[in-house]
Amino acid sequence: MRFRILGTLEVRAYGDRVTLASPRQQRALAVLLLSPNSVVPVERMIDALWEDEPPATAVKQVRNCVSALRARLGEAGASIVTDGPGYRLETGVDDLDSLRFRRHVAAARTLAGQAKLVDAVEEIRAALGLWRGPALDGLRTTTLAGRAAVLDEQRADAVELCAEWRLRLGETGEVVRELTEFCGEHPMREQSHLLLMRALAKEGRYAEASTLFHGLRRRLADELGVDPNPELRRLHEQILAEATPSEPEPEPEPAPLRHSFDRAVTELAEAVTWQWRAEAELRSLHRPQPIALRWSALRGRLRGDLDDIAETYTALPVPQLVVLGEPGSGKSVLALMLTLELLRTRAPGGPVPVLLSLASWDPRRDHLDRWLAARLADDHPALLNAREYGRDAPTRLVLGGHVLPVLDGLDEMPADLRVAALDALDQTMGTGRALVLTCRSAEYDQVVREAGAVLTAATVVRLEPVARQEAITYLSARDGRDRWGPVADRLRRDPDAALARVLRTPLMVDLARIGYGRPDADPAELLGASEAEALEGQLLDSFVPNAYAQVPQPPGRNPKTSPSGRYTAAQATRWLGFLARHLEQARSRDLAWWQLYRAVPVRTRSALAGVLVALFFVVTGWVDDGPALAAIYGVSFGGAACLTHRFGRAPEPLRTEVRFAGAARKFAGRFAIGAVVGVLLGLGWSLATGLVVFLALVFGLVFAVHVWLAKPVDASRVSSPRTILRNERTGTIALSVSFLVSLGLFDGMAFAFTAQTRFLPVLGGRFDLALAIAAGLAGASFGFFMARGVAAVCYGLAGAIAGGQVFPAATNPVLPFVAGVCFGGGIGLAVLVTRAWGNYFVHHLWLAATGRLPWRLMHFLDDAHRRGVLRQAGGVYQFRHARVQERLAEVHQEERP
């Protein structure tokens, strides 16, 4: 059995091609072949088979898929072995083209090391001959793409090795021909351009070599905001020195103006400063007597506290710092305060420290720099405004060294991603780029044991436990020593007791002070617990009730900046517990309103969308021609909505704002497109000329108004959950209303004024094939515009089934109005639920109606933020402490019926 993945996936047995029954079997075999002779965990296979949320029976379906794959492969199916947590495909080097490729490359390198360049070129050309196209061409799901890209990178390295050796052999003509094509396919690959420039220069084609350099420099500046590497620049200078007068140097293009990009750096620094300064003030981190956070380096004699961590970091020979500590030891607080201090002391033009939670990063799917750029764009969407800051400013900020990533919570990533994440950090940051990373001690030690030597240049410090006397001083600072006397005595007398072990972290000391700082509370209750785990649970359980304690409010309180008294502790505990459980199941720390739909079972989600949309179309069909047509309309469009939400991708929110300046040209273009659509629909349904003109105007305006939703222009503003929701809601409502008006108006006019021309009637005149095709194409276009492929198929079929129905024109002038309103309402609702805000709106109503969330969710989350239960990180909320989230989720699970 021979397997081929260097191109399209192929399986051959005895010279004949084996056809796999389904794409799912192809993906399952591909993920096994990408890790030959290694165990592939079931979780990775699930990610490969389902790009979005897998079904509840995913594990069982993987087993069934592997069983079917074994049967399909015949005798070779026995090579797929069940091994522990997954499956392993046993294959020899001669049976898999990627293994043969690596063998040829290794042999070529050995021959080149022995100065046998002719043999080395022959060997590596044999390796390149195994390639038939990009690895796994046509089968690249998100999970498979990353590993396939590694193979493509190895092929590119082999091409460059071959070219370098052939240049040494003097084969410049062949190198020019091959690398010219290769550089066209890889326009940003610097090593390939360097080799091609050398080959051109050896042939005396200096002008072409110089033109090639300027083209590469322009692309690097436009796309990444960087210059070619020093070796390329030196080669270009040598070429200029050797160029003959008959071949003058092309005049270089003027350097692009950088003032817009420089302004992006400055405004980013301002935004991050305001963001975390407000968070620090809300969490009272600058209070007069904060609890001390002391740290010490694992190697060397470096020691210090929170006040000197920034100075210590800037003095490091390599600007990389790893901060370790126990749960609740203050790692996140240290990261926040370090960020603010680095911002305060930042020199003009220096990198901007950006504090980010690592919980949302999947290193198997996203390169670190790509993820960093995406997070910048999420939190500061104005950076995507090319007119204000140049093209792709977030990526240029990251790759240009203008961002110092302060990455909080490696331990908060799923356990199966931590090794990959640390390995990716080591590869990306191993060149000495600036980095700050925080992690729990035990998790970091485990990852280092599994990953080996990583981040070897980084300075690793560990937060020390809170000293007993510091805990006593902090607890009794406001209340005097009498109330806390028994606690202080126990801490001094028994340093190994449960109380002393628990009060070694700032989190637990702070919870004790919050819980027992009230005059009516007795701190002596802390002495009753004999187990540290029980006492820790007691303090964690007290956090939310104490945060929601009912206290008198002063007169003149601003409701927008002060906690609300409308929520009881019981309500807050129940709702926050549900949200914490939702995040734990999603293995996330980021509470994003547009991902709340994941808290609703997938079948319920699709049923909700289908039923809501179907209701409007049932009424439309009933008004048009009675119950039979009502059933056809309801099933068609309701089924389309249901299937779209069952199998389609969930939308991300639009980060836009209403802006009219500079939109005239786009407005005219969109208006023309809309007018053409209106004319075609009017003519297709045989409407009078005046009505066709009217439809053209309406559709033109509807299509054109969307150009007023543009990217924000102020990068100094940080996204917040409310601003994202407000902007997305504006765009969603505008989009939904525009479709409601235009298509509702068209349906009403078609019902009232159509000349009822029949083109290709069938089924006794009850169905018209020409109208069905026209409506199907319109429905498919609508679906593709809203949610791409799945929706295009579903709404295309729904449009064909419903649009081809033939029924008599209206006899009552009221009926077309009712039908138009209902049809437009159904279309508008279909649009609404495919957008992030509409998706959130529907599922939030469902969760609120079933008592799992409050009706005014954003108000509740804002209130929890002001009370210090949640923290805000850009456009998402997070629980203030990971331990609080874990405890709330655990208690909520126990209380569920």
Side-chain angles (χ1 to χ4, degrees):
M1 185 72 69
R2 294 295 179 93
F3 302 98
R4 305 175 74 185
I5 63 175
L6 302 182
T8 56
L9 176 65
E10 285 187 11
V11 183
R12 292 189 175 273
Y14 307 108
D16 296 326
R17 186 167 180 171
V18 177
T19 303
L20 299 181
S22 67
R24 189 169 293 174
Q25 287 186 14
Q26 296 174 17
R27 292 194 291 268
L29 179 60
V31 75
L32 291 170
L33 291 173
L34 285 170
S35 301
N37 302 310
S38 300
V39 176
V40 178
V42 172
E43 290 79 9
R44 193 192 302 168
M45 297 193 69
I46 290 174
D47 289 339
L49 267 59
W50 291 274
E51 288 193 79
D52 50 2
E53 184 175 345
T57 59
V59 174
K60 181 178 180 181
Q61 292 191 44
V62 167
R63 293 172 183 159
N64 294 339
C65 183
V66 171
S67 177
L69 185 59
R70 286 169 173 159
R72 194 71 180 175
L73 296 178
E75 296 178 359
S79 61
I80 302 178
V81 180
T82 303
D83 190 342
Y87 299 93
R88 183 180 72 254
L89 191 149
E90 298 178 342
T91 183
V93 173
D94 292 330
D95 296 329
L96 179 59
D97 57 358
S98 63
L99 295 180
R100 296 204 306 276
F101 168 77
R102 290 169 182 160
R103 181 180 63 185
H104 281 303
V105 171
R109 290 181 182 274
T110 301
L111 290 169
Q114 298 170 356
K116 300 177 180 179
L117 288 184
V118 174
D119 295 334
V121 168
E122 182 178 353
E123 194 74 26
I124 205 166
R125 286 177 67 83
L128 293 171
L130 296 170
W131 285 82
R132 298 165 290 112
L136 293 176
D137 195 11
L139 195 64
R140 291 198 176 195
T141 63
T142 304
T143 301
L144 299 176
R147 294 176 178 269
V150 173
L151 290 173
D152 292 339
E153 183 70 16
Q154 292 173 357
R155 179 201 178 200
D157 291 340
V159 169
E160 290 168 350
L161 272 179
C162 183
E164 183 177 356
W165 294 338
R166 296 183 74 180
L167 278 179
R168 295 184 193 176
L169 294 172
E171 301 174 0
T172 55
E174 291 82 356
V175 170
V176 168
R177 283 193 294 272
E178 292 180 4
L179 281 187
T180 298
E181 181 180 355
F182 187 79
C183 288
E185 297 171 352
H186 302 79
M188 307 288 285
R189 198 170 178 90
E190 294 180 87
Q191 182 64 19
S192 304
H193 285 72
L194 184 142
L195 293 169
L196 180 54
M197 287 172 60
R198 284 180 180 169
L200 289 168
K202 286 188 176 183
E203 290 197 335
R205 298 158 66 176
Y206 300 108
E208 293 177 50
S210 186
T211 301
L212 182 71
F213 173 83
H214 285 305
L216 174 64
R217 184 178 67 178
R218 183 179 63 254
R219 288 191 295 274
L220 290 174
D222 290 345
E223 298 293 331
L224 306 178
V226 298
D227 291 324
N229 63 49
E231 189 176 3
L232 264 167
R233 295 199 299 270
R234 285 194 298 270
L235 175 61
H236 182 241
E237 292 171 0
Q238 293 173 8
I239 290 173
L240 293 181
E242 296 172 3
T244 62
S246 60
E247 294 185 14
E249 160 71 1
E251 193 171 21
E253 299 178 1
L257 295 177
R258 293 185 51 84
H259 66 275
S260 295
F261 185 69
D262 293 339
R263 185 162 57 86
V265 178
T266 303
E267 292 185 1
L268 175 65
E270 294 176 1
V272 177
T273 301
W274 295 339
Q275 174 187 3
W276 294 113
R277 183 182 294 165
E279 194 67 26
E281 292 173 356
L282 189 67
R283 296 167 63 176
S284 302
L285 296 182
H286 294 289
R287 53 195 163 190
Q289 292 182 328
I291 192 167
L293 286 179
R294 290 190 169 84
W295 54 268
S296 58
L298 297 188
R299 295 188 181 92
R301 299 182 179 180
L302 280 178
R303 301 180 66 86
D305 55 27
L306 190 62
D307 294 334
D308 57 18
I309 186 65
E311 182 180 349
T312 301
Y313 173 76
T314 53
L316 293 175
V318 177
Q320 295 182 354
L321 179 69
V322 178
V323 181
L324 306 180
E326 301 306 312
S329 60
K331 300 180 296 297
S332 297
V333 170
L334 184 143
L336 192 158
M337 301 303 287
L338 174 59
T339 299
L340 286 175
E341 184 61 19
L342 291 175
L343 284 164
R344 188 184 68 81
T345 58
R346 170 179 169 269
V352 179
V354 178
L355 175 58
L356 298 170
S357 170
L358 272 173
S360 63
W361 179 36
D362 186 345
R364 300 172 304 183
R365 300 173 184 266
D366 292 319
H367 188 276
L368 176 64
D369 288 336
R370 185 185 299 273
W371 174 77
L372 288 172
R375 287 301 307 271
L376 283 182
D378 287 344
D379 292 347
H380 312 275
L383 290 174
L384 294 175
N385 193 315
R387 178 179 297 180
E388 297 292 328
Y389 305 105
R391 292 182 57 189
D392 204 3
T395 301
R396 294 166 63 196
L397 284 167
V398 172
L399 297 182
H402 301 288
V403 172
L404 192 170
V406 181
L407 305 177
D408 185 26
L410 177 67
D411 54 279
E412 295 177 358
M413 302 180 69
D416 57 335
L417 296 183
R418 292 173 192 153
V419 173
L422 197 58
D423 183 61
L425 283 168
D426 186 55
Q427 291 183 16
T428 307
M429 300 295 183
T431 56
R433 289 172 56 181
L435 169 71
V436 178
L437 175 69
T438 75
C439 185
R440 292 180 180 178
S441 301
E443 283 80 351
Y444 186 80
D445 293 341
Q446 179 181 356
V447 172
V448 169
R449 285 196 301 270
E450 296 178 16
V454 290
L455 295 178
T456 53
T459 299
V460 182
V461 302
R462 194 184 303 272
L463 290 172
E464 298 178 349
V466 177
R468 284 174 292 168
Q469 187 55 47
E470 290 176 349
I472 294 169
T473 302
Y474 180 79
L475 291 171
S476 59
R478 289 187 302 177
D479 304 313
R481 298 183 178 274
D482 293 340
R483 295 180 62 249
W484 291 93
V487 173
D489 292 341
R490 175 68 63 86
L491 290 174
R492 295 191 184 98
R493 188 175 64 252
D494 195 350
D496 295 322
L499 179 63
R501 295 202 305 274
V502 169
L503 295 184
R504 288 176 180 174
T505 64
L507 171 61
M508 291 301 154
V509 176
D510 198 38
L511 291 181
R513 178 171 170 173
I514 294 172
Y516 295 93
R518 304 188 311 274
D520 58 338
D522 185 6
E525 294 177 4
L526 295 171
L527 306 179
S530 57
E531 298 292 334
E533 184 176 350
L535 179 56
E536 184 175 310
Q538 175 184 334
L539 289 173
L540 288 169
D541 291 342
S542 70
F543 177 57
V544 173
N546 283 317
Y548 284 85
Q550 300 295 325
V551 295
Q553 297 294 328
R557 177 177 62 89
N558 185 349
K560 294 184 177 181
T561 58
S562 302
S564 169
R566 64 180 297 165
Y567 305 115
T568 66
Q571 289 175 322
T573 301
R574 182 174 74 253
W575 294 331
L576 291 169
F578 174 79
L579 293 172
R581 181 63 183 164
H582 157 61
L583 292 179
E584 287 294 308
Q585 290 176 337
R587 302 197 302 180
S588 176
R589 297 295 182 200
D590 293 341
L591 180 55
W593 59 262
W594 59 91
Q595 294 179 350
L596 187 65
Y597 72 95
R598 295 180 182 271
V600 180
V602 63
R603 292 182 179 178
T604 305
R605 299 201 303 259
S606 55
L608 278 173
V611 169
L612 290 173
V613 172
L615 287 175
F616 282 88
F617 285 101
V618 164
V619 176
T620 303
W622 198 294
V623 170
D624 285 345
D625 198 29
L629 191 61
I632 293 173
Y633 272 33
V635 171
S636 300
F637 287 100
C642 179
L643 292 174
T644 296
H645 282 74
R646 177 65 179 83
F647 299 106
R649 286 181 175 273
E652 291 290 316
L654 296 170
R655 290 170 169 84
T656 58
E657 61 185 19
V658 177
R659 193 167 76 250
F660 302 100
R665 181 176 299 177
K666 288 185 177 180
F667 186 93
R670 293 285 187 90
F671 183 90
I673 295 173
V676 170
V677 172
V679 169
L680 293 176
L681 288 174
L683 294 177
W685 264 261
S686 306
L687 297 179
T689 304
L691 295 177
V692 173
V693 173
F694 180 66
L695 277 180
L697 292 174
V698 171
F699 272 78
L701 289 173
V702 163
F703 273 57
V705 295
H706 302 299
V707 304
W708 293 336
L709 298 176
K711 294 294 180 186
V713 297
D714 186 1
S716 65
R717 293 169 54 192
V718 184
S719 286
S720 69
R722 273 197 177 276
T723 59
I724 295 176
L725 185 142
R726 182 171 58 251
N727 293 343
E728 163 67 12
R729 180 175 58 204
T730 300
T732 298
I733 292 176
L735 198 64
S736 301
V737 170
S738 65
F739 274 97
L740 184 156
V741 171
S742 58
L743 292 176
L745 184 65
F746 162 73
D747 185 75
M749 286 185 173
F751 188 26
F753 303 113
T754 179
Q756 293 191 301
T757 302
R758 300 294 175 254
F759 300 97
L760 295 172
V762 295
L763 301 177
R766 293 287 300 172
F767 196 83
D768 192 305
L769 290 177
L771 293 180
I773 293 173
L777 291 174
S781 301
F782 164 76
F784 184 82
F785 176 72
M786 295 313 306
R788 296 297 185 265
V790 174
V793 174
C794 295
Y795 281 102
L797 290 174
I801 294 171
Q805 302 296 320
V806 176
F807 48 88
T811 56
N812 186 330
V814 177
L815 293 181
F817 176 78
V818 175
V821 169
C822 292
F823 186 86
I827 292 292
L829 184 60
V831 173
L832 185 82
V833 296
T834 56
R835 304 308 311 158
W837 178 78
N839 198 29
Y840 157 78
F841 180 75
V842 170
H843 295 107
H844 167 233
L845 287 182
W846 173 260
L847 293 171
T850 53
R852 285 171 282 185
L853 287 178
W855 289 101
R856 299 182 63 191
L857 177 60
M858 295 307 296
H859 183 276
F860 171 71
L861 296 179
D862 284 345
D863 181 73
H865 178 224
R866 288 191 290 269
R867 293 177 186 272
V869 178
L870 301 177
R871 65 185 179 189
Q872 185 177 306
V876 300
Y877 287 115
Q878 297 170 340
F879 279 89
R880 179 172 172 180
H881 304 287
R883 288 289 294 117
V884 172
Q885 175 181 318
E886 294 164 1
R887 180 65 179 180
L888 281 169
E890 178 184 340
V891 173
H892 180 76
Q893 183 179 24
E894 293 174 354
E895 292 179 351
R896 290 172 63 185

